[in-house]
């Protein structure tokens, strides 16, 4: 009888996620699960108007209501000299001037600038008492005209959101060589032009935001429990820019977090208020958002209006690209809002193509809407959507197949310096496309299209060959571009005396599976089973200063920091082993969990070295300190560049406008894969969100009132399982050249590559009817209207 095969748990193994047991059994501990002694509850009174001056606030009746402890307003914040919510990225405009950076008070002071703006906070013994008392706060407003469309906000005479920006422009920014681009356009054989809208989205993480502020009189310190993706950055912004505290007086704890997608990166006004208020009332103050509040107050995503042009020669070779984008920043500058439509967007406009010249101008604009910031992909989806829609339009106009046009323009030599500042270190774009074509059975598409016709359906196929940049770095370059924080990561590896390991990471897990994949990295290197490795994150009181999780950085940056700490563990372990084996440290090698004298069979296991590190009977303390605990910081020298090819196949019912996704294929290059199963799950989630944006999701404001029309799931459509096909996913590997793991990042790719593939497929299906353009979301109404409009135009042309 053969012995059972050993279960693989190291790098490259599809290990089941360790953390899932507590989640599926209800043992997770989220912010709302935290209950503190003498805890009070906060309810935020929010503005019902998009734009108004605050004439007066009378809180007398509310203060007399049962259970009410305090009613606080912007005047109270100002009296305590509490700073506004800061922006974390300074953009310099085309004239070399800093962006307009208006104050963002955590409670409105004198004026409200979007529906949902915080006007007052009511603190009571119970949540219901606070909510009922809020109705007794009498606020008198002088209502002003709103402006919700960024293009309208730039028009002369538009309502002014902030006095510091009388034209509502935060900045006008550019990237690229305008003169070279204009010259290339002047000599082009053909120019394709598209006007594209990238629709505004509401993040809708499963767990709404929440925060609990706790002040301790004993040592004059604060603890903030918060649903957040980067607790150290939250602490830095709170202490240095808002409360004026030394950092050691503030602890931020982000426990289990039920999804973020970027929306929980930021410091929010509610976090500031509950922390400050906890000292005012000398009791913990808890706030948990409900879903209606989330629609109004969570930072939204996307919302770009762009004009894009591509100049090509007679053979379809790209000569130059020209882009003008108006980006809606909302009413205030959220933490990373200014970098999303600039540094994280325009730098990716080369895509996978060797376009010699690119020029982009971006207007960042204030409006009377909820602030806009990073949402899964953060600038990269906006860039990929624009580029891939434009490339497919060029193919259609030049009568060259989508596949052939892309191949003619792919970058094939690496490293490659793009005309928009980035250097791609490696890639194989043809390999990803080849894999996707095979997996999607593109060769069989013509037959499937003909079969669909027999059922009265229009079948289309769409392509997207995207690239993204992950692990934003290095810190010195990012700092020169306006980042107000470092972009490194930290890893601490603590080996316990019995050989078990605790890893402390500045990265934060909120669905990514770090407790498994980080353990796989450490276990693979040290030969320790992953069930003996714990991963600790999310607590500034336990973890060294790190930068959190966003931009698909955790593995490439956080994982590398951990690897560097492990290397230090091995280096010290060799010295201890040398004493135990009575050999020279230079003759010791470490492999398969053992320290071995090179060329012999003499060895000691890792666990014995760990024990000796804490019970140092066999080596002199004058040469080695006791213990086996190492910390490393890692600041990358470049981004990583995941890339891939997505192919979507749809059927459209021309009578109803309903789009059905028949097949969705994604073949991606994420470099080396630590856990292929976790990667596949990340891709599936990203594809679902990308399809949601392409076909269903759309955040809409009423232009006359400034009210959020899509303020609940009754009006904001989210994808369900029945809206999605079975995904076909594959991967190709070109390892990253500048981190030791060779990894690139995978968390956002699905949401980046899928939207243009879906819309290109819809347009391909509708092309026989004369439809050449449609904006996201391709809802039944929008598709039906496009078909009717094309039919009218066709009839008018025939009549003429």
């Amino acid at each position: 009888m053969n012995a059972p095969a050993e279960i693989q748990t190291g790098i490259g193994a599809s290990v089941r996620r360790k953390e899932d047991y507590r989640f599926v059994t209800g043992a997770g501990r989220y912010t709302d699960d935290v209950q503190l002694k003498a805890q009070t509850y906060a309810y935020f009174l929010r503005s019902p108007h998009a734009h108004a001056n605050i004439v007066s606030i009378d809180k007398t009746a509310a203060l007399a209501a049962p259970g009410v402890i305090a009613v606080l307003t912007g005047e109270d914040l100002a009296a305590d000299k509490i700073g506004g919510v800061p922006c974390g990225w300074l953009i310099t405009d085309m004239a070399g001037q800093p962006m307009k950076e208006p104050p963002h008070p955590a409670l409105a002071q004198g004026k409200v600038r979007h529906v949902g703006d915080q006007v007052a906070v009511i603190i009571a013994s119970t949540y219901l008492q606070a909510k009922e008392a809020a109705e007794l706060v009498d606020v008198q407003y002088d209502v002003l005209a709103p402006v919700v469309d960024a293009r309208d906000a730039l028009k002369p005479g538009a309502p002014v959101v902030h006095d510091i920006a009388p034209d509502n422009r935060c900045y006008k920014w550019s990237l690229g060589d305008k003169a070279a681009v204009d010259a290339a356009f002047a000599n082009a054989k053909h120019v394709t032009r598209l006007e594209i809208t990238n629709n505004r989205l509401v993040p809708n993480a499963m767990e709404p935001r929440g925060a609990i502020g706790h002040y301790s009189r004993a040592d004059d310190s604060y603890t903030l429990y918060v649903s957040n993706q980067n607790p150290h950055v939250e602490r830095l912004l709170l202490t240095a820019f808002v409360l004026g505290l030394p950092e050691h007086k503030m602890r931020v704890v982000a426990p289990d977090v039920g999804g973020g997608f970027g929306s929980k990166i930021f410091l929010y006004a509610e976090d500031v208020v509950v922390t400050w208020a906890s000292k005012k009332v000398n009791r913990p103050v808890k706030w948990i958002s409900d879903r209606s509040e989330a629609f109004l107050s969570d930072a939204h995503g996307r919302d770009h209006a762009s004009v894009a042009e591509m100049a090509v020669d007679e053979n379809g070779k790209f000569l130059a690209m020209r882009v003008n984008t108006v980006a809606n920043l909302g009413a205030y500058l959220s933490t990373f809002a200014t970098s999303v439509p600039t540094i994280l967007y325009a730098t990716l406009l080369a895509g996978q193509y060797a376009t010699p010249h690119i020029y982009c101008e971006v207007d960042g604009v204030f409006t009377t809407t909820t602030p806009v910031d990073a949402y899964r992909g953060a600038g990269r989806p906006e860039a990929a959507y624009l580029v891939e829609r434009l490339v497919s339009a060029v193919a259609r106009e030049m009568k060259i197949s989508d596949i052939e046009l892309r191949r003619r323009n792919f970058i094939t030599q690496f490293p490659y310096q793009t005309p928009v500042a980035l250097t791609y270190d490696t890639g194989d774009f043809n390999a990803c496309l080849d894999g996707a074509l095979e997996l999607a059975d593109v060769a069989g598409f013509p037959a499937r299209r003909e079969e669909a016709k027999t059922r009265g359906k229009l079948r289309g196929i769409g392509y997207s060959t995207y690239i993204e940049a992950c692990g934003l770095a290095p810190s010195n370059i990012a700092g020169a571009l306006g980042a107000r924080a470092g972009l490194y990561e930290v890893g601490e590896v603590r080996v316990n005396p019995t050989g078990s390991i605790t890893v402390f990471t500045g990265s934060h897990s909120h669905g990514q599976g770090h407790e498994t994949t980080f353990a796989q990295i450490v276990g693979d290197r040290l030969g320790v089973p992953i069930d003996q490795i714990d991963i600790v994150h999310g607590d500034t009181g336990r973890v060294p200063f790190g930068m959190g999780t966003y931009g698909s950085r955790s593995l490439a940056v956080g994982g590398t920091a951990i690897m560097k700490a492990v290397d230090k563990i091995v280096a010290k372990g060799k010295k201890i082993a040398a004493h135990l084996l009575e050999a020279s440290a230079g003759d010791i090698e470490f492999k398969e969990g053992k320290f071995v004298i090179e060329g012999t069979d003499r060895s000691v296991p890792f666990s014995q070295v760990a024990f000796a590190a804490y019970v140092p009977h066999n080596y002199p303390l004058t040469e080695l300190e006791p213990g086996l605990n190492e910390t490393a910081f890692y600041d990358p020298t470049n981004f990583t560049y995941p890339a891939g090819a997505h192919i979507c196949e749809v059927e459209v019912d021309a009578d109803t406008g309903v789009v059905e996704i028949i097949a969705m294929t994604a073949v991606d290059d994420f470099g080396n894969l630590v856990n292929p199963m976790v990667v596949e799950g990340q891709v599936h989630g990203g594809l679902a969100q990308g399809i949601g944006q392409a076909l269903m999701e759309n955040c809409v404001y009423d232009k006359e009132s400034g009210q959020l029309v899509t303020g609940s799931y009754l009006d904001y459509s989210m994808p369900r399982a029945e809206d999605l096909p079975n995904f076909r996913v594959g991967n190709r590997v070109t390892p990253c050249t500048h981190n030791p793991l060779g990894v690139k990042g995978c968390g956002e790719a699905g949401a980046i590559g899928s939207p243009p593939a879906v819309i290109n497929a819809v347009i391909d299906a509708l092309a026989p009817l004369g439809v050449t353009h449609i904006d996201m979301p391709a809802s039944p109404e929008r598709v039906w209207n496009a078909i009717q409009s094309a039919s009218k135009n066709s009839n008018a042309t025939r009549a003429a």
Side-chain angles (χ1 to χ4, degrees):
M1 181 175 175
N2 294 328
E6 183 178 348
I7 298 174
Q8 297 299 311
T9 61
I11 291 176
S14 289
V15 180
R16 283 191 175 187
R17 301 195 336 166
K18 295 172 60 179
E19 52 268 64
D20 283 352
Y21 178 80
R22 75 171 185 272
F23 294 143
V24 299
T25 59
R29 188 170 186 261
Y30 300 89
T31 300
D32 196 22
D33 294 318
V34 176
Q35 303 293 330
L36 303 177
K37 184 179 179 180
Q39 181 173 279
T40 65
Y41 295 83
Y43 182 85
F44 284 89
L45 178 64
R46 300 180 183 277
S47 170
H49 304 293
H51 197 197
N53 290 318
I54 299 174
V55 177
S56 63
I57 302 176
D58 186 348
K59 49 190 181 181
T60 306
L63 285 169
V68 171
I69 297 164
V71 178
L72 303 171
T73 68
E75 288 186 359
D76 300 302
L77 274 174
D80 285 357
K81 296 181 172 55
I82 302 300
V85 180
C87 178
W89 202 294
L90 173 67
I91 293 297
T92 301
D93 68 16
M94 293 171 61
Q97 298 300 309
M99 66 189 188
K100 302 295 193 304
E101 193 170 1
H104 180 188
L107 294 171
Q109 296 176 9
K111 191 177 184 181
V112 291
R113 293 177 171 86
H114 68 92
V115 174
D117 208 351
Q118 297 81 211
V119 175
V121 62
I122 298 86
I123 300 169
S125 298
T126 71
Y127 172 76
L128 285 178
Q129 288 173 332
K131 185 175 183 179
E132 290 171 359
E135 297 180 7
L136 302 177
V137 179
D138 182 14
V139 185
Q140 296 297 313
Y141 296 98
D142 175 20
V143 179
L144 305 172
V147 58
V148 300
D149 188 306
R151 292 163 293 189
D152 293 338
L154 291 176
K155 294 176 180 177
V160 176
V161 183
H162 294 281
D163 292 342
I164 194 176
D167 59 356
N168 291 320
R169 185 179 278 111
C170 176
Y171 54 74
K172 189 175 187 67
W173 178 91
S174 67
L175 181 66
D177 188 335
K178 184 177 187 301
V181 167
D182 290 345
F185 269 84
N187 295 311
K189 178 71 173 180
H190 178 83
V191 172
T192 293
R193 183 181 187 273
L194 279 182
E195 293 186 16
I196 294 177
T197 298
N198 204 296
N199 44 322
R200 181 184 278 235
L201 303 175
V202 179
N204 282 303
M206 186 177 292
E207 177 209 20
R209 288 191 299 116
I212 307 170
H214 181 207
Y215 172 71
S216 171
R217 283 189 301 171
D219 57 0
D220 192 30
S221 69
Y222 297 81
T223 300
L224 174 66
Y225 299 89
V226 62
S227 184
N228 185 269
Q229 297 176 217
N230 49 356
H232 275 288
V233 174
E234 174 110 353
R235 183 181 72 166
L236 174 64
L237 295 174
L238 258 177
T239 55
F241 296 95
V242 181
L243 300 177
L245 296 173
E247 276 187 281
H248 72 285
K249 291 296 185 181
M250 168 69 73
R251 177 187 177 198
V252 175
V253 181
D256 289 328
V257 173
F261 313 118
S263 68
K264 294 177 181 175
I265 298 171
F266 325 120
L267 173 64
Y268 282 95
E270 295 89 352
D271 308 346
V272 172
V273 172
V274 298
T275 305
W276 161 71
S278 68
K279 183 174 183 179
K280 298 285 286 185
V281 302
N282 196 29
R283 289 171 65 181
V285 179
K286 181 176 188 175
W287 168 77
I288 301 295
S289 171
D290 63 29
R291 190 59 67 182
S292 295
E293 280 186 292
F295 271 91
L296 293 172
S297 63
D298 289 4
H300 293 171
R302 316 291 192 247
D303 205 347
H304 284 192
S306 299
V307 176
E309 299 172 283
M310 183 76 83
V312 299
D313 69 12
E314 62 276 8
N315 297 314
K317 290 286 286 184
F318 302 159
L319 303 176
M321 180 191 290
R322 186 161 54 200
V323 178
N324 192 297
T325 294
V326 178
N328 195 335
L329 301 176
Y332 303 102
L333 296 180
S334 182
T335 306
F336 292 117
T338 53
S339 65
V340 173
T342 52
I343 304 300
L344 299 179
Y345 165 68
T347 55
L348 272 299
L349 289 174
Q352 296 188 6
Y353 311 108
T355 308
H357 307 291
I358 300 173
Y359 178 72
C360 178
E361 286 187 5
V362 178
D363 286 294
V365 183
F366 295 113
T367 63
T368 56
T369 64
T370 297
V372 178
D373 209 317
Y375 174 69
R376 198 168 191 168
R380 282 75 53 82
E382 295 90 322
Y385 182 72
L386 183 145
V387 171
E388 292 306 300
R389 284 290 313 280
L390 187 59
V391 168
S392 287
V394 172
R396 186 168 54 251
E397 293 178 4
M398 295 287 288
K399 295 181 172 52
I400 303 171
S401 80
D402 274 275
I403 300 167
E404 176 58 28
L405 184 69
R406 284 169 166 81
R407 290 199 194 278
R408 290 184 192 181
N409 289 282
F410 274 161
I411 298 162
T412 58
Q413 300 295 319
F414 296 91
Y416 178 81
Q417 175 65 55
T418 75
V420 279
L422 300 183
T423 301
Y424 302 163
D425 63 325
T426 187
D428 190 340
F429 305 146
N430 275 299
C432 286
L433 181 55
D434 289 341
L437 294 173
E438 180 180 356
L439 198 57
D441 184 25
V442 170
F445 173 74
R448 295 193 295 274
R449 172 174 264 176
E450 290 304 312
E451 187 277 330
K453 286 181 181 178
T454 67
R455 295 181 284 106
K457 297 296 179 68
L458 301 169
R459 201 164 182 121
I461 192 165
Y463 301 88
S464 168
T465 47
Y466 76 94
I467 193 167
E468 61 163 324
C470 300
L472 181 61
S475 294
N476 61 330
I477 300 298
L481 295 173
R484 288 167 166 166
L487 294 166
Y488 53 83
E489 197 46 85
V490 65
E492 178 186 350
V493 177
R494 184 180 300 172
V495 180
N496 301 310
T498 57
S500 64
I501 297 170
T502 305
V503 177
F504 300 85
T505 174
S507 299
H508 186 277
S509 183
H510 40 279
Q512 292 86 350
H514 294 169
E515 293 175 39
T516 302
T517 53
F518 285 172
Q520 284 181 258
I521 292 170
V522 175
D524 187 85
R525 181 76 172 94
L526 296 180
V528 176
I530 65 171
D531 61 1
Q532 294 184 33
I533 303 170
D534 283 338
I535 308 298
V536 177
H537 63 91
D539 186 343
T540 65
R542 300 183 66 190
V543 176
F545 192 101
M547 301 308 297
T549 293
Y550 46 86
S552 300
R553 72 189 302 269
S554 294
L555 191 57
V557 187
T560 298
I562 292 169
M563 277 293 291
K564 287 182 171 292
V566 168
D567 289 342
K568 292 182 179 181
I569 293 288
V570 171
K572 184 173 181 179
K574 287 180 178 180
K575 295 177 182 178
I576 297 172
H579 284 284
L580 297 177
L581 294 168
E582 299 180 337
S584 168
D587 293 332
I588 303 296
E589 59 180 354
F590 182 71
K591 58 184 180 181
E592 298 178 355
K594 297 178 181 179
F595 293 91
V596 181
I597 300 176
E598 191 173 0
T600 75
D601 60 357
R602 295 183 62 211
S603 66
V604 290
F606 178 79
S607 58
Q608 184 177 342
V609 168
F611 188 78
Y614 291 94
V615 186
H617 295 166
N618 295 297
Y619 61 88
L621 293 178
T622 55
E623 295 182 18
L624 285 171
E625 294 179 352
L628 200 54
N629 183 6
E630 297 289 350
T631 300
F633 290 81
Y634 175 64
D635 197 341
T637 58
N638 191 4
F639 291 113
T640 64
Y641 297 99
H646 290 192
I647 300 175
C648 181
E649 202 166 320
V650 303
E651 282 187 357
V652 179
D653 186 327
D655 293 330
T656 64
V658 171
V659 176
E660 179 184 0
I661 296 183
I662 304 301
M664 188 76 211
T665 302
V667 174
D668 303 289
D669 176 5
F670 300 131
N672 294 329
L673 305 184
V674 170
N675 187 317
M677 181 183 68
V678 168
V679 169
E680 185 171 344
Q682 289 286 304
V683 172
H684 281 208
L687 291 173
Q689 283 186 280
I691 290 168
Q693 176 176 16
L695 295 184
M696 307 175 76
E697 298 183 52
N698 197 26
C699 180
V700 178
Y701 284 89
D702 180 76
K703 286 194 173 187
E704 298 301 319
S705 66
Q707 294 293 324
L708 179 61
V709 177
T710 52
S712 75
Y713 292 139
L714 290 174
D715 300 294
Y716 188 93
S717 181
M718 295 280 286
R720 296 170 173 82
E722 65 183 10
D723 301 309
L724 306 172
N726 286 324
F727 300 131
R728 304 166 180 168
V729 300
N731 66 280
R732 298 294 182 269
V733 176
T734 58
C736 175
T737 61
H738 55 80
N739 69 60
L741 292 168
V743 297
K744 296 183 180 182
C746 69
E748 296 161 301
I752 293 170
S754 59
V758 173
I759 297 300
N760 283 336
V762 172
I763 293 172
D764 183 61
L766 300 180
L769 303 182
V771 176
T772 59
H773 176 75
I774 194 167
D775 274 320
M776 297 187 291
S779 61
E781 179 185 16
R782 187 168 286 183
V783 171
W784 188 86
N785 283 332
I787 293 171
Q788 303 311 307
S789 178
S791 177
K792 290 178 182 177
N793 291 338
S794 177
N795 291 336
T797 300
R798 283 197 296 269

